[in-house]
């Protein structure tokens, strides 16, 4: 089980990106799944996307899956929330980007905190580890059996970031977790046996510097296991998926996080 580290309004912040996803929707392991395939259709390098609280239909996630597909990966984005992801409207209404939040008044901040307080706890309870982990494990196992599938990786964001780490215990060939939330330290990291890459923001309210240091210490002891931890300066929770493209610095960090994942999977899924 994860620790009592809570999820704040930062989990609900971000921007919806421009563009139209080009993949298709299939049903895999009884879950609606967005599928983005590389040009040659090869499943030799397959990635399962483990989504944030906004779910499998969130356009940013699908656009990113398309980018990975262009890089040669066969990508699956399953509906692991079973139709119960949080509505996209929260991106606009609950919390603005960091630069706007810093300028917000006490009333606006209190309003955001109250909204999050009534929205997240019941959702997290409904989608707790005992419910979500079996769904994810079953989906990964099903993907492995699809004809033509080679090595399988897991990429996760925020809520899904933790499940990417758990998948690296021995379910996938490699994993990449971007700003994971609700992680248990050391319980989630001690059992990691597969190559693991982490992209973390230096201003992530859900994973403070002290916690990052503990993770670094744990992973440093795994001398025979490939791993990397990259900290992105001045980036908040959700930056790898929901950054503001109008900010050159934020867009650069998001692009670099995408490259981090592509490079990692190219090395460990080949």
């Amino acid at each position: 089980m994860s620790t009592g580290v809570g999820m704040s309004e930062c989990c609900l912040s971000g921007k919806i990106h421009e563009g139209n996803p080009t993949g298709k929707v299939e049903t895999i392991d009884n879950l609606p799944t967005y599928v983005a395939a590389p040009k040659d259709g090869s499943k030799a390098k397959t990635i399962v996307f483990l989504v944030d609280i906004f779910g499998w239909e969130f356009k940013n996630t699908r656009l990113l899956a398309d980018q990975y597909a262009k890089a040669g990966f066969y990508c699956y984005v399953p509906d692991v929330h079973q139709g119960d992801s949080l509505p996209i409207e929260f991106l606009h209404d609950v919390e603005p980007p960091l630069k706007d939040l810093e300028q917000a008044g006490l009333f606006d901040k209190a309003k955001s905190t109250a909204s999050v307080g009534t929205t997240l706890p019941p959702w997290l309870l409904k989608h707790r580890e005992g419910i979500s982990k079996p769904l994810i494990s079953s989906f990964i196992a099903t993907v492995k059996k699809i004809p033509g599938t080679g090595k399988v990786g897991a990429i996760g964001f925020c809520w899904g970031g933790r499940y990417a780490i758990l998948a690296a215990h021995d379910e996938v060939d490699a994993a990449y977790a971007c700003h994971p939330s609700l992680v248990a330290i050391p319980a989630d990291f001690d059992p990691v046996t597969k190559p693991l890459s982490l992209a973390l923001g230096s201003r992530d309210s859900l994973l403070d510097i002290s916690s990052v240091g503990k993770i670094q210490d744990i992973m440093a002891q795994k001398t025979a296991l490939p791993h990397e931890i990259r900290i992105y300066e001045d980036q908040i929770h959700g930056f790898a998926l929901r950054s503001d493209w109008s900010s050159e610095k934020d867009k650069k960090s998001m692009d670099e996080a995408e490259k981090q994942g592509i490079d990692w999977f190219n090395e460990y899924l080949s």
Side-chain angles (χ1 to χ4, degrees), residues 23-111:
K24 59 183 179 180
V25 174
E26 300 179 1
T27 298
I28 300 173
D29 196 33
N30 298 313
L31 296 179
T33 303
Y34 179 79
V35 180
K39 191 173 183 180
D40 63 3
S42 173
K43 298 183 179 71
K45 297 183 292 185
T46 291
I47 299 176
V48 175
F49 278 62
L50 301 176
V51 296
D52 65 3
I53 58 179
F54 298 105
W56 77 295
E57 291 183 302
F58 184 32
K59 186 165 71 169
N60 293 13
T61 305
R62 293 187 173 193
L63 290 172
L64 187 59
D66 289 349
Q67 288 298 106
Y68 273 76
K70 290 177 183 177
F73 301 96
Y74 204 98
C75 301
Y76 299 97
V77 187
D79 178 17
V80 292
H81 301 154
Q82 297 182 297
D84 188 48
S85 302
L86 290 179
I88 298 301
E89 287 72 20
F90 278 105
L91 278 171
H92 304 286
D93 299 337
V94 176
E95 179 167 351
L98 181 62
K99 62 182 181 181
D100 295 335
L101 179 62
E102 290 174 339
Q103 299 172 2
L106 291 177
F107 175 78
D108 291 329
K109 290 181 180 179
K111 183 179 179 182

Coordinates of all heavy atoms in Angstrom, one line a residue, residues 23-111:
G23 N -4.7 7.8 -33.5 CA -4.8 6.3 -33.2 C -6.2 5.8 -33.4 O -7.1 6.5 -33.9
K24 N -6.4 4.6 -32.9 CA -7.8 4.0 -32.9 C -8.1 3.4 -31.6 O -7.3 3.3 -30.7 CB -7.8 2.9 -34.0 CG -6.7 1.8 -33.7 CD -6.7 0.7 -34.8 CE -5.7 -0.4 -34.6 NZ -5.7 -1.4 -35.7
V25 N -9.4 3.1 -31.4 CA -9.8 2.5 -30.1 C -10.2 1.0 -30.3 O -10.9 0.7 -31.3 CB -11.1 3.3 -29.6 CG1 -11.6 2.6 -28.4 CG2 -10.7 4.7 -29.3
E26 N -9.7 0.2 -29.5 CA -10.0 -1.2 -29.5 C -10.4 -1.7 -28.1 O -10.2 -0.9 -27.1 CB -8.7 -2.0 -29.9 CG -8.2 -1.7 -31.3 CD -7.0 -2.5 -31.7 OE1 -6.6 -3.4 -30.9 OE2 -6.4 -2.3 -32.8
T27 N -10.9 -2.9 -27.9 CA -11.1 -3.4 -26.6 C -10.1 -4.5 -26.4 O -10.0 -5.5 -27.1 CB -12.6 -4.0 -26.5 OG1 -13.5 -3.0 -26.7 CG2 -12.8 -4.6 -25.2
I28 N -9.3 -4.4 -25.3 CA -8.3 -5.3 -25.0 C -8.4 -5.7 -23.5 O -8.5 -4.8 -22.6 CB -6.9 -4.7 -25.2 CG1 -6.8 -4.4 -26.7 CG2 -5.8 -5.7 -24.8 CD1 -5.5 -3.6 -27.1
D29 N -8.5 -6.9 -23.2 CA -8.7 -7.4 -21.8 C -9.9 -6.7 -21.2 O -9.9 -6.3 -20.0 CB -7.5 -7.1 -21.0 CG -7.5 -7.9 -19.7 OD1 -8.0 -9.1 -19.7 OD2 -6.9 -7.4 -18.7
N30 N -11.0 -6.6 -22.0 CA -12.3 -6.0 -21.6 C -12.2 -4.5 -21.2 O -13.1 -4.0 -20.6 CB -12.9 -6.8 -20.4 CG -13.2 -8.2 -20.7 OD1 -13.8 -8.5 -21.8 ND2 -12.7 -9.2 -19.9
L31 N -11.1 -3.9 -21.6 CA -11.0 -2.4 -21.4 C -10.9 -1.7 -22.7 O -10.1 -2.0 -23.6 CB -9.7 -2.2 -20.5 CG -9.6 -2.7 -19.1 CD1 -8.3 -2.4 -18.5 CD2 -10.8 -2.2 -18.3
P32 N -11.7 -0.6 -22.8 CA -11.5 0.3 -24.0 C -10.1 0.8 -24.0 O -9.6 1.2 -22.9 CB -12.5 1.4 -23.8 CG -13.5 0.8 -22.8 CD -12.7 -0.1 -21.9
T33 N -9.4 0.8 -25.1 CA -8.0 1.1 -25.2 C -7.7 1.9 -26.4 O -8.0 1.5 -27.5 CB -7.2 -0.2 -25.2 OG1 -7.5 -1.0 -24.0 CG2 -5.7 0.1 -25.2
Y34 N -7.0 3.0 -26.2 CA -6.5 3.8 -27.3 C -5.2 3.1 -27.8 O -4.3 2.9 -27.0 CB -6.2 5.2 -26.9 CG -5.7 6.1 -28.0 CD1 -6.5 6.6 -29.0 CD2 -4.3 6.4 -28.1 CE1 -6.0 7.5 -30.0 CE2 -3.8 7.2 -29.1 CZ -4.7 7.8 -30.0 OH -4.2 8.6 -31.0
V35 N -5.1 2.9 -29.1 CA -3.9 2.2 -29.7 C -3.3 3.2 -30.7 O -3.9 3.6 -31.6 CB -4.3 0.9 -30.4 CG1 -3.1 0.2 -30.9 CG2 -5.0 0.0 -29.3
A36 N -2.0 3.4 -30.5 CA -1.2 4.2 -31.5 C -0.1 3.3 -32.0 O 0.8 2.8 -31.2 CB -0.6 5.4 -30.8
A37 N 0.0 3.0 -33.3 CA 0.9 2.1 -33.8 C 2.0 2.8 -34.6 O 1.7 3.9 -35.3 CB 0.2 1.1 -34.7
P38 N 3.2 2.3 -34.7 CA 4.2 2.9 -35.5 C 3.9 2.6 -37.0 O 3.0 1.8 -37.3 CB 5.5 2.1 -35.1 CG 5.0 0.8 -34.6 CD 3.7 1.1 -33.9
K39 N 4.6 3.3 -37.8 CA 4.3 3.3 -39.3 C 4.4 1.8 -39.8 O 3.6 1.4 -40.7 CB 5.3 4.2 -40.0 CG 4.9 4.4 -41.5 CD 5.8 5.5 -42.1 CE 5.4 5.7 -43.5 NZ 6.2 6.8 -44.2
D40 N 5.4 1.1 -39.3 CA 5.5 -0.3 -39.8 C 4.7 -1.3 -39.1 O 4.6 -2.5 -39.4 CB 7.0 -0.7 -39.8 CG 7.5 -0.8 -38.3 OD1 6.8 -0.5 -37.4 OD2 8.8 -1.0 -38.2
G41 N 3.9 -0.9 -38.1 CA 3.0 -1.7 -37.4 C 3.7 -2.7 -36.4 O 3.0 -3.6 -35.8
S42 N 5.0 -2.6 -36.2 CA 5.7 -3.6 -35.4 C 5.4 -3.4 -33.9 O 5.3 -2.3 -33.4 CB 7.2 -3.4 -35.6 OG 7.9 -4.1 -34.7
K43 N 5.2 -4.6 -33.3 CA 5.0 -4.6 -31.8 C 6.2 -5.1 -31.1 O 6.2 -5.4 -29.9 CB 3.8 -5.6 -31.5 CG 2.5 -5.2 -32.1 CD 1.4 -6.2 -31.7 CE 0.0 -5.8 -32.2 NZ -0.1 -6.1 -33.7
A44 N 7.3 -5.0 -31.8 CA 8.6 -5.4 -31.1 C 8.9 -4.7 -29.9 O 9.4 -5.2 -28.9 CB 9.7 -5.3 -32.1
K45 N 8.6 -3.4 -29.9 CA 8.8 -2.5 -28.7 C 7.4 -1.9 -28.4 O 6.9 -1.0 -29.0 CB 9.8 -1.4 -29.0 CG 11.2 -1.9 -29.4 CD 12.2 -0.7 -29.6 CE 11.8 0.1 -30.8 NZ 12.9 1.1 -31.1
T46 N 6.8 -2.5 -27.3 CA 5.5 -2.1 -26.9 C 5.5 -1.4 -25.6 O 6.3 -1.7 -24.7 CB 4.6 -3.4 -26.8 OG1 4.4 -4.0 -28.1 CG2 3.3 -3.1 -26.2
I47 N 4.6 -0.4 -25.5 CA 4.5 0.4 -24.3 C 3.1 0.5 -23.8 O 2.2 0.8 -24.6 CB 5.1 1.8 -24.5 CG1 6.6 1.8 -24.9 CG2 4.9 2.7 -23.2 CD1 7.1 3.2 -25.2
V48 N 2.8 0.3 -22.6 CA 1.5 0.4 -21.9 C 1.6 1.8 -21.2 O 2.4 2.0 -20.3 CB 1.2 -0.7 -21.0 CG1 -0.1 -0.4 -20.3 CG2 1.1 -2.0 -21.7
F49 N 0.7 2.7 -21.5 CA 0.5 4.0 -20.9 C -0.4 3.8 -19.7 O -1.6 3.4 -19.8 CB 0.0 5.0 -21.8 CG 1.0 5.6 -22.7 CD1 1.7 4.8 -23.7 CD2 1.2 7.0 -22.7 CE1 2.6 5.4 -24.5 CE2 2.2 7.6 -23.5 CZ 2.9 6.8 -24.5
L50 N 0.1 4.2 -18.5 CA -0.7 4.2 -17.3 C -1.0 5.6 -16.9 O -0.2 6.4 -16.6 CB 0.1 3.5 -16.2 CG 0.4 2.0 -16.5 CD1 1.3 1.4 -15.4 CD2 -0.8 1.2 -16.8
V51 N -2.3 6.0 -17.0 CA -2.7 7.3 -17.1 C -2.8 8.1 -15.8 O -2.7 7.4 -14.7 CB -4.1 7.4 -17.8 CG1 -4.1 6.9 -19.2 CG2 -5.2 6.6 -17.0
D52 N -2.9 9.4 -15.8 CA -3.2 10.2 -14.6 C -4.7 10.1 -14.3 O -5.4 9.4 -15.0 CB -2.6 11.6 -14.8 CG -3.4 12.4 -15.9 OD1 -4.4 11.9 -16.5 OD2 -3.0 13.6 -16.1
I53 N -5.1 11.0 -13.4 CA -6.5 10.9 -13.0 C -7.5 11.3 -14.0 O -8.7 11.1 -13.9 CB -6.7 11.8 -11.7 CG1 -6.3 13.2 -12.0 CG2 -5.9 11.2 -10.5 CD1 -6.5 14.2 -10.8
F54 N -7.0 11.9 -15.1 CA -7.9 12.4 -16.2 C -8.1 11.3 -17.2 O -8.9 11.5 -18.2 CB -7.4 13.7 -16.9 CG -7.3 14.8 -15.9 CD1 -6.1 15.2 -15.4 CD2 -8.5 15.4 -15.5 CE1 -6.0 16.3 -14.5 CE2 -8.4 16.5 -14.5 CZ -7.2 16.9 -14.0
G55 N -7.4 10.2 -17.1 CA -7.8 9.0 -17.8 C -7.4 8.9 -19.3 O -6.6 9.7 -19.8
W56 N -7.9 7.8 -19.9 CA -7.4 7.3 -21.2 C -7.9 8.2 -22.3 O -7.3 8.2 -23.4 CB -7.9 5.9 -21.4 CG -9.3 5.8 -21.8 CD1 -10.4 6.1 -21.0 CD2 -9.9 5.3 -23.0 NE1 -11.6 5.8 -21.6 CE2 -11.3 5.4 -22.9 CE3 -9.3 4.8 -24.2 CZ2 -12.1 5.0 -23.9 CZ3 -10.1 4.4 -25.2 CH2 -11.5 4.5 -25.1
E57 N -8.9 9.0 -22.1 CA -9.5 9.9 -23.2 C -8.8 11.3 -23.2 O -9.1 12.1 -24.0 CB -11.0 10.0 -23.0 CG -11.7 8.7 -23.3 CD -13.2 8.9 -23.3 OE1 -13.8 9.3 -22.2 OE2 -13.9 8.6 -24.3
F58 N -8.0 11.6 -22.2 CA -7.4 12.9 -22.1 C -6.5 13.1 -23.3 O -5.6 12.3 -23.6 CB -6.5 12.9 -20.8 CG -5.9 14.3 -20.6 CD1 -6.4 15.4 -20.9 CD2 -4.6 14.3 -19.9 CE1 -5.8 16.7 -20.7 CE2 -4.0 15.5 -19.6 CZ -4.6 16.7 -20.0
K59 N -6.8 14.1 -24.1 CA -6.1 14.3 -25.4 C -4.6 14.4 -25.2 O -3.9 13.9 -26.1 CB -6.6 15.6 -26.0 CG -6.1 15.8 -27.4 CD -6.9 16.8 -28.2 CE -6.6 18.2 -27.8 NZ -7.2 19.2 -28.7
N60 N -4.1 15.0 -24.2 CA -2.6 15.1 -24.0 C -2.0 13.7 -24.0 O -0.9 13.5 -24.6 CB -2.3 15.9 -22.8 CG -2.7 17.3 -22.8 OD1 -3.4 17.7 -23.7 ND2 -2.2 18.1 -21.8
T61 N -2.6 12.8 -23.3 CA -2.1 11.4 -23.2 C -2.1 10.8 -24.6 O -1.1 10.1 -25.0 CB -2.9 10.6 -22.2 OG1 -2.9 11.3 -21.0 CG2 -2.3 9.2 -22.0
R62 N -3.1 10.9 -25.3 CA -3.2 10.3 -26.6 C -2.2 10.9 -27.6 O -1.6 10.2 -28.4 CB -4.6 10.4 -27.2 CG -5.6 9.6 -26.4 CD -7.0 9.6 -27.0 NE -7.9 8.6 -26.3 CZ -9.1 8.2 -26.7 NH1 -9.5 8.7 -27.9 NH2 -9.8 7.4 -26.0
L63 N -2.1 12.2 -27.5 CA -1.1 12.9 -28.4 C 0.3 12.4 -28.1 O 1.1 12.2 -29.0 CB -1.2 14.4 -28.3 CG -2.4 15.1 -28.8 CD1 -2.5 16.6 -28.4 CD2 -2.5 15.0 -30.4
L64 N 0.6 12.2 -26.8 CA 1.9 11.7 -26.4 C 2.1 10.3 -26.9 O 3.2 9.9 -27.4 CB 2.1 11.8 -24.9 CG 3.5 11.5 -24.4 CD1 4.6 12.5 -25.0 CD2 3.6 11.6 -22.9
A65 N 1.1 9.5 -26.8 CA 1.2 8.1 -27.3 C 1.5 8.1 -28.8 O 2.3 7.3 -29.3 CB -0.1 7.3 -27.0
D66 N 0.9 9.0 -29.5 CA 1.1 9.2 -31.0 C 2.6 9.5 -31.2 O 3.2 9.0 -32.2 CB 0.2 10.3 -31.6 CG -1.2 9.9 -31.6 OD1 -1.6 8.7 -31.4 OD2 -2.1 10.8 -31.9
Q67 N 3.2 10.4 -30.4 CA 4.6 10.7 -30.5 C 5.5 9.5 -30.3 O 6.5 9.3 -31.0 CB 4.9 11.8 -29.5 CG 4.4 13.2 -29.9 CD 4.9 13.7 -31.2 OE1 4.1 13.7 -32.2 NE2 6.1 14.1 -31.2
Y68 N 5.2 8.7 -29.3 CA 6.0 7.5 -29.1 C 5.8 6.5 -30.2 O 6.8 5.8 -30.6 CB 5.5 6.9 -27.8 CG 6.2 7.4 -26.5 CD1 5.9 8.6 -26.0 CD2 7.3 6.7 -25.9 CE1 6.6 9.1 -24.9 CE2 7.9 7.2 -24.8 CZ 7.6 8.4 -24.3 OH 8.2 8.9 -23.2
A69 N 4.6 6.5 -30.8 CA 4.4 5.6 -32.0 C 5.2 6.1 -33.1 O 5.8 5.2 -33.9 CB 2.9 5.6 -32.3
K70 N 5.3 7.4 -33.3 CA 6.2 7.9 -34.4 C 7.6 7.5 -34.2 O 8.4 7.4 -35.1 CB 6.0 9.4 -34.5 CG 4.7 9.9 -35.0 CD 4.6 11.4 -35.0 CE 3.2 11.8 -35.5 NZ 3.1 13.3 -35.4
A71 N 8.0 7.3 -32.9 CA 9.4 7.0 -32.6 C 9.6 5.4 -32.7 O 10.7 5.0 -32.4 CB 9.7 7.4 -31.2
G72 N 8.6 4.7 -33.1 CA 8.7 3.3 -33.3 C 8.2 2.3 -32.3 O 8.4 1.1 -32.3
F73 N 7.4 2.9 -31.4 CA 6.8 2.0 -30.3 C 5.3 1.8 -30.6 O 4.6 2.6 -31.1 CB 6.9 2.7 -28.9 CG 8.3 3.0 -28.6 CD1 8.9 4.2 -28.8 CD2 9.1 2.0 -28.0 CE1 10.2 4.5 -28.4 CE2 10.4 2.3 -27.6 CZ 11.0 3.5 -27.9
Y74 N 4.8 0.6 -30.2 CA 3.4 0.2 -30.3 C 2.8 0.5 -29.0 O 3.2 0.0 -27.9 CB 3.2 -1.3 -30.7 CG 1.9 -1.6 -31.3 CD1 1.8 -1.7 -32.7 CD2 0.8 -1.7 -30.6 CE1 0.6 -2.0 -33.3 CE2 -0.4 -2.0 -31.1 CZ -0.5 -2.1 -32.5 OH -1.7 -2.4 -33.1
C75 N 1.9 1.5 -28.9 CA 1.4 2.0 -27.7 C -0.1 1.7 -27.4 O -0.9 1.8 -28.2 CB 1.6 3.5 -27.7 SG 3.3 4.1 -27.9
Y76 N -0.3 1.3 -26.1 CA -1.7 1.1 -25.6 C -2.0 2.0 -24.5 O -1.2 2.2 -23.5 CB -1.8 -0.4 -25.1 CG -1.5 -1.5 -26.1 CD1 -0.3 -2.1 -26.2 CD2 -2.5 -1.9 -27.0 CE1 0.0 -3.1 -27.1 CE2 -2.3 -2.9 -27.9 CZ -1.1 -3.5 -28.0 OH -0.8 -4.5 -28.9
V77 N -3.2 2.6 -24.5 CA -3.6 3.5 -23.4 C -4.9 2.9 -22.9 O -6.0 3.3 -23.4 CB -3.8 4.9 -23.9 CG1 -4.1 5.8 -22.6 CG2 -2.5 5.4 -24.6
P78 N -4.9 2.0 -21.9 CA -6.2 1.4 -21.5 C -6.9 2.3 -20.5 O -6.4 3.1 -19.8 CB -5.7 0.1 -20.8 CG -4.3 0.5 -20.2 CD -3.7 1.5 -21.3
D79 N -8.3 2.0 -20.5 CA -9.1 2.7 -19.5 C -9.1 2.0 -18.2 O -10.1 1.3 -17.8 CB -10.6 2.8 -20.1 CG -11.5 3.5 -19.1 OD1 -11.0 4.2 -18.2 OD2 -12.7 3.3 -19.3
V80 N -8.0 2.2 -17.4 CA -7.9 1.5 -16.2 C -8.8 2.1 -15.1 O -8.9 1.5 -14.0 CB -6.5 1.4 -15.7 CG1 -5.6 0.6 -16.6 CG2 -5.9 2.8 -15.6
H81 N -9.5 3.2 -15.4 CA -10.4 3.8 -14.4 C -11.9 3.3 -14.7 O -12.8 3.6 -14.0 CB -10.4 5.3 -14.5 CG -9.1 5.9 -14.2 ND1 -8.7 7.1 -14.7 CD2 -8.1 5.4 -13.4 CE1 -7.5 7.4 -14.2 NE2 -7.1 6.4 -13.5
Q82 N -12.0 2.5 -15.8 CA -13.3 1.9 -16.1 C -14.4 2.9 -16.2 O -15.5 2.8 -15.6 CB -13.7 0.8 -15.1 CG -12.7 -0.4 -15.1 CD -13.0 -1.5 -14.2 OE1 -13.1 -1.3 -13.0 NE2 -13.3 -2.7 -14.7
G83 N -14.1 4.0 -17.0 CA -15.2 5.0 -17.3 C -15.3 6.0 -16.1 O -16.3 6.8 -16.2
D84 N -14.4 6.0 -15.2 CA -14.6 6.9 -14.0 C -13.4 7.8 -13.8 O -13.1 8.2 -12.7 CB -14.8 6.0 -12.8 CG -15.2 6.8 -11.6 OD1 -16.1 7.7 -11.7 OD2 -14.6 6.6 -10.5
S85 N -12.8 8.2 -14.9 CA -11.7 9.2 -14.8 C -12.3 10.6 -14.4 O -13.5 10.8 -14.6 CB -11.0 9.4 -16.1 OG -10.4 8.1 -16.5
L86 N -11.5 11.4 -13.8 CA -12.0 12.8 -13.4 C -12.3 13.6 -14.7 O -11.5 13.5 -15.7 CB -11.1 13.5 -12.5 CG -11.0 12.9 -11.1 CD1 -10.0 13.7 -10.2 CD2 -12.4 12.9 -10.4
P87 N -13.3 14.5 -14.7 CA -13.6 15.2 -15.9 C -12.5 16.3 -16.3 O -11.8 16.8 -15.4 CB -14.9 15.9 -15.6 CG -14.9 16.0 -14.1 CD -14.2 14.7 -13.6
I88 N -12.3 16.5 -17.5 CA -11.2 17.4 -18.0 C -11.5 18.8 -17.5 O -10.5 19.6 -17.4 CB -11.2 17.4 -19.6 CG1 -10.9 16.0 -20.1 CG2 -10.2 18.4 -20.1 CD1 -9.5 15.4 -19.6
E89 N -12.7 19.1 -17.2 CA -13.0 20.5 -16.8 C -12.2 20.9 -15.6 O -11.9 22.1 -15.3 CB -14.5 20.6 -16.4 CG -15.4 20.7 -17.6 CD -15.6 19.3 -18.3 OE1 -15.3 18.3 -17.6 OE2 -16.0 19.3 -19.4
F90 N -11.7 20.0 -14.8 CA -10.9 20.3 -13.6 C -9.6 21.0 -14.0 O -9.0 21.7 -13.2 CB -10.6 19.0 -12.8 CG -11.8 18.7 -11.8 CD1 -12.6 17.6 -12.1 CD2 -12.0 19.4 -10.7 CE1 -13.7 17.3 -11.3 CE2 -13.1 19.1 -9.8 CZ -13.9 18.1 -10.2
L91 N -9.1 20.7 -15.2 CA -7.9 21.3 -15.6 C -8.1 22.8 -15.7 O -7.1 23.6 -15.4 CB -7.5 20.8 -17.0 CG -6.8 19.5 -17.1 CD1 -6.7 19.1 -18.6 CD2 -5.4 19.6 -16.5
H92 N -9.3 23.3 -16.0 CA -9.5 24.7 -16.1 C -10.0 25.3 -14.8 O -9.7 26.5 -14.5 CB -10.6 25.0 -17.2 CG -10.3 24.4 -18.5 ND1 -9.3 24.9 -19.4 CD2 -10.7 23.3 -19.2 CE1 -9.2 24.2 -20.5 NE2 -10.1 23.2 -20.4
D93 N -10.8 24.6 -14.1 CA -11.5 25.2 -13.0 C -10.9 25.0 -11.6 O -11.1 25.9 -10.7 CB -12.9 24.5 -12.9 CG -13.7 24.8 -14.2 OD1 -13.4 25.8 -14.9 OD2 -14.7 24.0 -14.4
V94 N -10.1 24.0 -11.4 CA -9.6 23.7 -10.1 C -8.3 24.4 -9.8 O -8.2 25.0 -8.7 CB -9.4 22.2 -9.8 CG1 -8.8 21.9 -8.5 CG2 -10.8 21.5 -10.0
E95 N -7.4 24.4 -10.7 CA -6.1 25.1 -10.4 C -5.4 25.6 -11.7 O -5.3 24.8 -12.6 CB -5.1 24.3 -9.6 CG -3.9 25.0 -9.3 CD -3.0 24.4 -8.3 OE1 -3.4 23.4 -7.7 OE2 -1.8 24.9 -8.2
P96 N -5.0 26.8 -11.7 CA -4.2 27.3 -12.8 C -2.8 26.9 -12.8 O -2.3 26.3 -11.8 CB -4.3 28.9 -12.6 CG -4.3 29.0 -11.2 CD -5.2 27.8 -10.7
P97 N -2.0 27.1 -13.9 CA -0.6 26.8 -13.9 C 0.1 27.6 -12.8 O -0.4 28.5 -12.2 CB -0.1 27.3 -15.3 CG -1.4 27.3 -16.1 CD -2.5 27.7 -15.2
L98 N 1.4 27.2 -12.5 CA 2.1 27.7 -11.4 C 2.2 29.2 -11.4 O 2.0 29.9 -10.4 CB 3.5 27.1 -11.4 CG 4.5 27.5 -10.3 CD1 3.9 27.1 -8.9 CD2 5.8 26.9 -10.5
K99 N 2.5 29.8 -12.6 CA 2.7 31.2 -12.7 C 1.4 32.0 -12.3 O 1.5 33.1 -11.7 CB 3.2 31.6 -14.1 CG 2.2 31.3 -15.2 CD 2.7 31.7 -16.5 CE 1.7 31.4 -17.7 NZ 2.3 31.8 -19.0
D100 N 0.3 31.4 -12.6 CA -1.0 32.0 -12.2 C -1.3 31.8 -10.8 O -1.9 32.7 -10.1 CB -2.1 31.5 -13.1 CG -2.0 31.9 -14.6 OD1 -1.3 32.9 -14.8 OD2 -2.5 31.2 -15.4
L101 N -1.0 30.6 -10.3 CA -1.3 30.3 -8.9 C -0.5 31.2 -8.0 O -1.0 31.6 -6.9 CB -0.8 28.8 -8.6 CG -1.0 28.3 -7.2 CD1 -2.5 28.3 -6.8 CD2 -0.5 26.9 -7.1
E102 N 0.7 31.5 -8.3 CA 1.5 32.4 -7.5 C 0.9 33.8 -7.4 O 1.2 34.5 -6.4 CB 3.0 32.5 -8.0 CG 3.7 31.2 -7.8 CD 5.1 31.2 -8.5 OE1 5.3 32.1 -9.4 OE2 6.0 30.4 -8.1
Q103 N 0.1 34.2 -8.3 CA -0.5 35.5 -8.3 C -2.0 35.4 -7.8 O -2.6 36.5 -7.6 CB -0.6 36.1 -9.7 CG 0.8 36.2 -10.3 CD 0.8 36.6 -11.8 OE1 -0.3 36.8 -12.4 NE2 1.9 36.8 -12.4
A104 N -2.4 34.3 -7.4 CA -3.8 34.1 -7.0 C -4.0 34.6 -5.6 O -3.0 34.6 -4.7 CB -4.2 32.6 -7.1
G105 N -5.1 35.1 -5.2 CA -5.4 35.6 -3.9 C -5.8 34.4 -3.0 O -6.0 33.3 -3.4
L106 N -5.9 34.7 -1.7 CA -6.2 33.7 -0.7 C -7.6 33.1 -1.0 O -7.7 31.9 -0.8 CB -6.2 34.3 0.7 CG -4.8 34.8 1.2 CD1 -5.0 35.4 2.6 CD2 -3.9 33.6 1.3
F107 N -8.5 33.8 -1.4 CA -9.9 33.3 -1.7 C -9.8 32.2 -2.8 O -10.4 31.1 -2.6 CB -10.9 34.4 -2.1 CG -12.2 33.9 -2.4 CD1 -13.1 33.5 -1.5 CD2 -12.6 33.7 -3.8 CE1 -14.4 33.0 -1.8 CE2 -13.8 33.2 -4.1 CZ -14.7 32.9 -3.2
D108 N -9.1 32.6 -3.9 CA -9.0 31.6 -5.0 C -8.3 30.3 -4.6 O -8.7 29.2 -4.9 CB -8.3 32.3 -6.2 CG -9.2 33.3 -6.8 OD1 -10.4 33.2 -6.7 OD2 -8.6 34.3 -7.3
K109 N -7.2 30.5 -3.8 CA -6.5 29.3 -3.3 C -7.3 28.5 -2.4 O -7.3 27.2 -2.5 CB -5.2 29.8 -2.6 CG -4.2 30.4 -3.5 CD -2.9 30.8 -2.7 CE -1.9 31.4 -3.7 NZ -0.7 31.8 -2.9
A110 N -8.1 29.1 -1.5 CA -9.0 28.4 -0.6 C -10.1 27.6 -1.4 O -10.4 26.5 -1.0 CB -9.6 29.3 0.4
K111 N -10.6 28.3 -2.4 CA -11.6 27.7 -3.2 C -11.1 26.4 -3.9 O -11.8 25.4 -4.0 CB -12.1 28.7 -4.2 CG -13.3 28.2 -5.1 CD -13.7 29.2 -6.1 CE -14.8 28.7 -7.0 NZ -15.3 29.8 -8.0

